[in-house]
Amino acid sequence: MTPHPSPPPPAAARKILSCLKRYSEEYAGLGDLAEEYRQIALQRGKRRAALWYWGQVLFAVPSCLSFHLSSGGTMFGNTIKIALRNMQRHKFFAGVNIAGLSIGMTCCLLIFIYVRDELRHDDFFLHGDRIYRVLAESRESGRSGTELPAVMLDQMLTDIPEIELGVRLYDYGDCVIGNGDSRFVENRFEFTAPEFFEIYSIPTAIGDPGKSLAAPFSVVLTRKSADKYFPGINPVGQVLSLDNSHDFTVTGIVENPPLHSHLRFDFLASISSLRKMAPRIMEDWNYWFTNMYLRLPPGSNPRNLEARMEDFIIRHRGREFAGKVRHRLQPLQDIHLRSGNIDSDFSSSGDIAYVYGFSAIAVFVLLIACINFINLATARSSLRAREVGIRKVSGAHRSHILLRFMGESLITTGAALGLALVLTGLMLPVFNRLAGKSFRLDLLTDPALLMPAGLILLFVTILAGLYPGTRLSGYQPVQVLGGRIPAGRSGGKPGSTLFRKALVVFQFAVSIFLISATLLLTRQMTYMQRKDMGFQRERLVVIRNPADDNSRMLLRYKRFKAAAAQLAGVEGVSAASDVPPGGIGTALMFRKEEDSPQQALQLETVWVDTDYFDLIGADFLSGRNFSRGFETDRAAIVLNEAAVFALALEDPCSSRIALINSPDLHGVIGVVRDIHHESLRRQVKPVVFRLDPFRHAQNLVIRIKAQAMTDSMRRLEDLWADMAPEWPFQYEFMSQKYERLYRKESRMKGIVRIFTGLAIFIACLGLLGLASFSIARRSREIGVRKVLGASGLSIVRLLSWESVTLVFAANLLAWPATAYVSFLWLRNFAYRVGLDVWIFLISGGISIGIALLTIGFQAVRASRANPARILRCE
Amino acid sequence: MRDLTVLEQIILAAIISLEDDAYGVSIRRKVKKETGKSLMYGTLYKALDQLSRKAYVLKAGGTSTADRDGSRKIYYTVSPKGKSALSAAIRLHKAIWKIIPNLADDSKP
């Protein structure tokens, strides 16, 4: 060949060619084409050569593939053809199969996405497996809290060297942030130390994480806050005011905390500021307000540390205290899902029970979809018996036939999976809304999702294809071609029909369980929403009084009250330190007059204004309300029923109680009916109500008249703006508060409802397919009966009877399981509905009704058929 | 045993006639020259693979040269089995043409 350097062939085409391994390596395709390319390039120019090259490569692609198919896959191609042909011929049954399977798979996929997200919470913490949150557990009540004294960490780091790192995080709560003249209400303002960034891995946009939270009165903004307060400019060096009292300098920006983080914040301020703002709280062992996270060295056992902490508590707070409070270490991964019994500012909405529950539902729904497939395929196997016989006679082995059938099952399942992916994509927005998440569509192409989808495909194919496949391939030609297939039942043992019936029963049992669950959930929710909380909830508005200073708060309240009470739309104004449903923030130890301090009990304490009970509409069971007229009322107290019970007071209105270590006695002047200060999940706690003007002005409570509510609200807003312009008007209706409270249950209800619908649908599909087939098989019998004089109705009854008994059996199966699970779930609620027989009867009735509807149409149609036409062909 | 397809016969014949020099490019060129057919490489390789599976054609590697994109040449030879299969095919053709001897002359070139 001529000695100049050879021009290289087009790179892209060459790349494609090199992918066709067979041609390019075994047959030196790269070389041959390169040589000829060169020749053509020399003779006719590079352009022609490139064109030619591309042509050859592109042609080679399908040629190489068909090559693979024909040598390894002739059988596979044939299987596909036959499978598609079968599906076309029996569109109805194929449709039923694919629809059922794809719905089951969609359920599975959606739940898988949900569960994976829930389990992935907080996975971005650095060395997360060594991080623990410190809890304070009350030995008496079993409940835990996350708020602890700040000074505890300082002391712990000194006394316990096993702690590698400790970080405090204080959720400041609702506050007002000022930027220049504008004021905004925020509630995700946290105080923490620079060490925070060593455990919480979050990208820093501006500033040095090690230093930005060191100096007092520094604050780091999240990107969201930075954009809100200082859009477009670098906020470092700018100043924001906190509650109109303290100025903080911005020292950095971090990215927004990820969605699946139990910590949510918009501002991070330096905890060293607290030493200047309120020095006492950083040293006070009795002031419990900050969260604490510890990082332990690798290989350490948290139990050991818990034991050390117990010693620590005994040493610093005394044995008696240690007997009441125990500190536990909660692993980071448990925070999102297993914090049900923990009260915290960073409460999570996840619950491991839901994760288990939903996973179970997913498995069940998929299972019943597979059962459909199995049932239908088996039932119709008698149709293909002859085909199997002929194949065997032609030399096919049993394993071939089984494989072929599995291949067909794979194709059906594959089609169902494709449909399921599409359905999942469509359902995603609705699902997001229900579950309170935000999954994006591109999740569907995520390999982490496709892999389990592939596993589902494999699993369903094998599960749903194996049994019918084994049966089909087991047909003997002699049995099938020569003689007759045993009439009525499909080719075999009577046990097979029993098995199929059992499957249908199981399907319906699952559906009945879900129906009952939905009914129960709805009942419990309605009960909770309608229950009397001990006061009148309508038209109550709660306004938060900014907590700057006790005397200023009081003054603000008095002035506002005086002015607002004059408004036409306002029925009344009062205030209390804690209003429902927010729980009660203060608990103090009280003892009865005759008891010693050792017998003191912990009672929640709420400070109220004299007209509070009247305003909210609480009832007194005995005694009287506070009154301005009585000077002695300043020291008097009102108890709720639970407190009377806890203290075991026989004659409450003549009793006196005192604070644990104080000699001052307070007379009980009245007993008020229990007011639910928290969710109905919790028992009403014993409460002591007291008067103390300086402490009750935290929450203003206003009842407005029904007419022109928006107008009244606007006037109140104007009033506030006049009186306290530097504080934004922050209010919430009592009804809104309650809605928020039960959101988790609401969501659960929505989700269960959907899955119930789906399960019912699939079960009906199963019943439909089976019943249609069995009715079709009995068409001759029906014809004969009609000729012999049976009425249409009796035939319908005959045909439906079998299905009804199946559903009835399903009910019997479902009821015990339902009862047990319901019992477990209801135990979560201190106030709950009873498990009525009604629920079982209704779900039973619904299931039978659905079954009748499903097959009724078919049965009626069959009974109307003309006997002459049916009996003609024999 | 399946008969050789016409394409396979052409290729076998080309390889035999090329003696020691039968490789991808040369086969194509020969076929083009003698029959006018322009074989796509895809078709050629597929046919060669079928033939080599039946052990009618043997492959042998050659040296690589610069103008071959670095990969080696693969030379093909026809095995005795292949030669007898081809002979059988030729006999078949002869038998067919004997029945209608004039057809080839009657048709326009």
Side-chain angles (χ1 to χ4, degrees):
Chain A
M1 285 287 156
T2 38
H4 28 102
S6 45
R14 188 185 170 285
K15 194 84 194 294
I16 296 176
L17 183 60
S18 61
C19 288
L20 306 174
K21 290 281 189 284
R22 215 183 178 96
Y23 284 177
S24 58
E25 284 166 27
E26 277 193 47
Y27 290 91
L30 279 173
D32 284 342
L33 268 96
E35 192 181 314
E36 224 175 299
Y37 171 82
R38 189 178 172 275
Q39 285 169 12
I40 300 178
L42 283 175
Q43 284 169 11
R44 297 206 256 164
K46 245 176 123 179
R47 201 101 191 263
R48 279 311 290 270
L51 224 60
W52 173 88
Y53 194 88
W54 268 106
Q56 289 293 330
V57 171
L58 290 178
F59 179 80
V61 173
S63 156
C64 192
L65 286 180
S66 81
F67 182 50
H68 279 294
L69 277 180
S70 68
S71 60
T74 351
M75 288 312 280
F76 191 65
N78 182 262
T79 311
I80 297 182
K81 204 168 44 154
I82 302 250
L84 287 174
R85 199 188 294 162
N86 262 334
M87 281 207 281
Q88 259 180 319
R89 273 208 309 205
H90 306 277
K91 289 204 195 63
F92 177 68
F93 290 108
V96 165
N97 256 344
I98 293 186
L101 271 180
S102 65
I103 289 178
M105 285 179 179
T106 310
C107 273
C108 245
L109 285 173
L110 284 174
I111 289 184
F112 175 78
I113 294 175
Y114 174 82
V115 166
R116 191 174 63 122
D117 186 76
E118 289 284 281
L119 291 175
R120 269 207 326 190
H121 263 245
D122 295 323
D123 62 350
F124 55 89
F125 274 72
L126 297 169
H127 309 295
D129 53 332
R130 293 194 270 137
I131 296 181
Y132 299 85
R133 184 167 71 166
V134 183
L135 301 174
E137 182 185 293
S138 152
R139 289 192 203 261
E140 190 182 302
S141 68
R143 292 198 62 80
S144 308
T146 57
E147 275 82 44
L148 301 163
V151 61
M152 190 167 150
L153 183 68
D154 298 322
Q155 199 64 51
M156 268 170 55
L157 289 175
T158 324
D159 286 5
I160 308 179
E162 280 84 1
I163 300 176
E164 200 176 271
L165 186 74
V167 178
R168 284 175 293 218
L169 187 73
Y170 167 38
D171 178 33
Y172 189 66
D174 297 326
C175 60
V176 171
I177 302 293
N179 177 20
D181 285 327
S182 38
R183 294 281 176 276
F184 296 95
V185 176
E186 300 283 353
N187 84 340
R188 292 193 184 166
F189 193 94
E190 327 290 336
F191 285 90
T192 189
E195 288 88 346
F196 179 69
F197 293 113
E198 288 187 46
I199 62 170
Y200 198 85
S201 123
I202 188 172
T204 311
I206 300 179
D208 175 6
K211 305 213 197 81
S212 44
L213 284 181
F217 297 111
S218 359
V219 66
V220 169
L221 306 178
T222 60
R223 191 166 284 289
K224 180 172 134 199
S225 315
D227 289 339
K228 178 172 171 183
Y229 288 87
F230 307 108
I233 62 171
N234 183 348
V236 173
Q238 301 281 336
V239 172
L240 292 172
S241 70
L242 175 69
D243 282 342
N244 291 324
S245 345
H246 300 278
D247 285 335
F248 284 76
T249 316
V250 180
T251 51
I253 299 184
V254 291
E255 297 300 332
N256 296 326
L259 282 173
H260 49 284
S261 156
H262 76 279
L263 293 175
R264 287 173 288 280
F265 51 85
D266 291 328
F267 301 85
L268 291 173
S270 53
I271 201 165
S272 48
S273 328
L274 290 177
R275 291 192 198 276
K276 303 281 174 77
M277 285 166 65
R280 193 175 53 91
I281 67 173
M282 295 297 282
E283 306 298 329
D284 190 346
W285 278 91
N286 284 316
Y287 206 84
W288 297 42
F289 68 103
T290 169
N291 289 285
M292 209 182 287
Y293 293 85
L294 302 177
R295 190 174 77 199
L296 301 185
S300 47
N301 184 348
R303 305 279 154 263
N304 294 342
L305 195 68
E306 282 178 5
R308 300 282 310 257
M309 284 174 75
E310 183 151 359
D311 294 333
F312 172 83
I313 292 294
I314 293 179
R315 202 170 344 130
H316 288 276
R317 306 229 49 198
R319 200 161 278 281
E320 196 172 325
F321 186 88
K324 299 221 168 91
V325 174
R326 189 166 77 111
H327 289 291
R328 283 194 306 120
L329 293 176
Q330 186 186 31
L332 181 67
Q333 290 90 337
D334 284 357
I335 292 181
H336 176 66
L337 292 173
R338 295 178 208 263
S339 300
N341 218 22
I342 297 173
D343 301 315
S344 170
D345 289 326
F346 295 109
S347 58
S348 212
S349 59
D351 195 337
I352 192 78
Y354 288 165
V355 170
Y356 286 149
F358 286 144
S359 306
I361 291 181
V363 170
F364 272 130
V365 173
L366 190 65
L367 216 58
I368 66 184
C370 290
I371 287 175
N372 266 352
F373 188 93
I374 295 177
N375 259 343
L376 221 48
T378 327
R380 296 180 51 245
S381 58
S382 56
L383 294 178
R384 302 187 64 178
R386 278 210 204 106
E387 173 193 342
V388 174
I390 293 180
R391 281 187 191 271
K392 281 198 167 175
V393 163
S394 310
H397 292 300
R398 179 173 185 175
S399 48
H400 289 169
I401 299 182
L402 179 61
L403 226 58
R404 166 182 291 274
F405 192 80
M406 296 294 279
E408 285 186 26
S409 145
L410 180 67
I411 289 164
T412 318
T413 316
L417 182 64
L419 187 60
L421 285 172
V422 170
L423 277 179
T424 309
L426 289 175
M427 296 268 312
L428 218 49
V430 175
F431 187 68
N432 275 338
R433 222 167 2 113
L434 274 182
K437 302 257 182 194
S438 43
F439 296 118
R440 298 186 316 272
L441 259 181
D442 58 355
L443 201 61
L444 288 177
T445 47
D446 187 355
L449 177 70
L450 292 180
M451 221 209 3
L455 281 177
I456 293 179
L457 179 70
L458 209 61
F459 172 74
V460 172
T461 305
I462 294 179
L463 182 71
L466 202 61
Y467 178 69
T470 329
R471 284 204 49 182
L472 263 187
S473 55
Y475 284 140
Q476 295 303 322
V478 166
Q479 184 188 25
V480 146
L481 291 176
R484 297 183 47 209
I485 313 163
R489 311 302 174 206
S490 40
K493 317 128 244 184
S496 63
T497 349
L498 192 62
F499 181 64
R500 272 186 286 130
K501 284 189 187 169
L503 292 181
V504 172
V505 168
F506 179 71
Q507 279 179 309
F508 262 88
V510 171
S511 305
I512 291 167
F513 172 80
L514 286 174
I515 296 176
S516 314
T518 310
L519 288 173
L520 184 65
L521 264 169
T522 315
R523 278 199 64 188
Q524 175 66 16
M525 294 243 30
T526 328
Y527 169 72
M528 290 199 298
Q529 275 153 1
R530 296 224 192 115
K531 182 168 187 343
D532 179 18
M533 298 291 181
F535 64 101
Q536 312 293 322
R537 277 191 276 171
E538 324 79 54
R539 295 169 286 117
L540 275 183
V541 182
V542 177
I543 301 177
R544 238 188 115 66
N545 198 348
D548 47 357
D549 172 88
N550 277 344
S551 36
R552 263 188 272 169
M553 276 170 73
L554 184 62
L555 191 62
R556 207 178 294 131
Y557 165 53
K558 287 199 156 128
R559 289 177 57 203
F560 190 81
K561 179 172 179 174
Q566 312 248 347
L567 290 180
V570 168
E571 270 183 31
V573 183
S574 187
S577 61
D578 305 89
V579 291
I584 299 177
T586 319
L588 301 169
M589 308 286 282
F590 287 90
R591 60 178 176 86
K592 287 190 287 195
E593 179 175 11
E594 60 271 21
D595 284 349
S596 64
Q598 275 78 9
Q599 290 163 297
L601 295 175
Q602 190 173 56
L603 302 175
E604 311 272 304
T605 309
V606 179
W607 285 272
V608 299
D609 199 0
T610 45
D611 47 5
Y612 177 71
F613 289 120
D614 284 334
L615 181 75
I616 65 169
D619 293 322
F620 274 80
L621 292 177
S622 64
R624 59 174 180 81
N625 191 3
F626 295 111
S627 156
R628 289 193 197 280
F630 294 84
E631 193 52 39
T632 48
D633 275 1
R634 285 181 166 270
I637 58 176
V638 167
L639 297 177
N640 71 349
E641 293 176 82
V644 171
F645 182 75
L647 290 168
L649 295 172
E650 278 162 12
D651 187 11
C653 296
S654 56
S655 314
R656 293 194 291 183
I657 66 174
L659 281 163
I660 180 172
N661 286 321
S662 152
D664 301 330
L665 291 171
H666 305 273
V668 178
I669 55 165
V671 177
V672 73
R673 203 155 60 93
D674 279 338
I675 298 176
H676 290 273
H677 271 95
E678 300 172 285
S679 149
L680 286 168
R681 282 171 163 254
R682 314 251 199 287
Q683 192 76 21
V684 172
K685 301 203 181 99
V687 182
V688 168
F689 294 93
R690 305 175 60 182
L691 273 189
D692 180 352
F694 282 99
R695 302 182 78 163
H696 67 209
Q698 281 161 349
N699 292 290
L700 280 74
V701 184
I702 303 180
R703 193 184 292 279
I704 57 177
K705 296 204 180 115
Q707 309 89 335
M709 289 216 286
T710 14
D711 201 42
S712 312
M713 289 312 299
R714 211 163 343 121
R715 283 183 207 226
L716 286 170
E717 184 161 6
D718 291 338
L719 205 58
W720 183 271
D722 280 337
M723 284 195 187
E726 73 278 16
W727 300 104
F729 183 58
Q730 223 189 326
Y731 70 94
E732 199 175 10
F733 275 86
M734 196 61 87
S735 50
Q736 287 171 304
K737 285 182 182 282
Y738 275 94
E739 216 180 300
R740 261 194 305 135
L741 192 65
Y742 295 124
R743 198 174 291 163
K744 186 159 68 150
E745 279 78 18
S746 231
R747 277 207 198 128
M748 176 74 157
K749 186 170 85 152
I751 294 180
V752 172
R753 259 214 205 132
I754 288 199
F755 286 120
T756 307
L758 288 176
I760 292 178
F761 185 63
I762 296 178
C764 286
L765 280 182
L767 189 61
L768 183 68
L770 207 56
S772 318
F773 185 70
S774 100
I775 287 175
R777 250 193 305 113
R778 295 172 75 172
S779 55
R780 260 185 252 136
E781 177 193 336
I782 295 168
V784 169
R785 283 184 188 267
K786 279 200 92 164
V787 163
L788 292 179
S791 71
L793 193 60
S794 70
I795 292 185
V796 171
R797 234 175 0 145
L798 180 73
L799 292 174
S800 343
W801 176 244
E802 191 177 330
S803 307
V804 171
T805 34
L806 288 181
V807 176
F808 191 68
N811 269 299
L812 291 179
L813 185 64
W815 289 348
T818 312
Y820 182 61
V821 172
S822 308
F823 173 70
L824 285 181
W825 182 72
L826 282 177
R827 268 201 318 193
N828 280 325
F829 297 86
Y831 299 89
R832 54 183 178 254
V833 297
L835 196 59
D836 277 341
V837 188
W838 274 116
I839 292 185
F840 295 118
L841 291 181
I842 291 181
S843 54
I846 292 180
S847 56
I848 293 186
I850 291 175
L852 284 176
L853 255 157
T854 312
I855 57 163
F857 185 64
Q858 299 279 35
V860 166
R861 198 161 54 133
S863 73
R864 296 254 223 85
N866 190 341
R869 248 189 312 139
I870 302 172
L871 294 171
R872 190 179 309 164
C873 24
E874 184 57 43
Chain B
M1 263 315 193
R2 193 163 61 77
D3 286 339
L4 291 174
T5 65
V6 174
L7 180 67
E8 285 170 340
Q9 295 169 28
I10 295 172
I11 292 174
L12 280 175
I15 295 177
I16 292 176
S17 81
L18 285 170
E19 286 177 20
D20 290 331
D21 194 32
Y23 69 106
V25 184
S26 61
I27 296 174
R28 274 193 77 218
R29 215 175 327 152
K30 186 81 178 180
V31 167
K32 177 79 195 267
K33 191 170 126 193
E34 301 298 337
T35 68
K37 278 189 192 290
S38 213
L39 278 187
M40 298 292 280
Y41 270 104
T43 324
L44 177 64
Y45 291 145
K46 193 163 163 191
L48 283 172
D49 193 73
Q50 305 270 42
L51 288 170
S52 80
R53 273 161 189 273
K54 289 194 263 198
Y56 291 161
V57 151
L58 304 165
K59 298 194 292 186
T63 53
S64 59
T65 51
D67 60 336
R68 278 184 63 88
D69 204 2
S71 64
R72 58 197 175 95
K73 260 181 180 168
I74 294 187
Y75 288 102
Y76 304 95
T77 44
V78 181
S79 68
K81 222 166 145 190
K83 284 188 181 143
S84 67
L86 190 57
S87 313
I90 292 172
R91 276 200 298 277
L92 184 61
H93 278 300
K94 284 195 172 146
I96 294 172
W97 291 124
K98 221 159 63 166
I99 306 171
I100 32 165
N102 301 318
L103 194 60
D105 304 329
D106 283 350
S107 55
K108 291 248 193 258

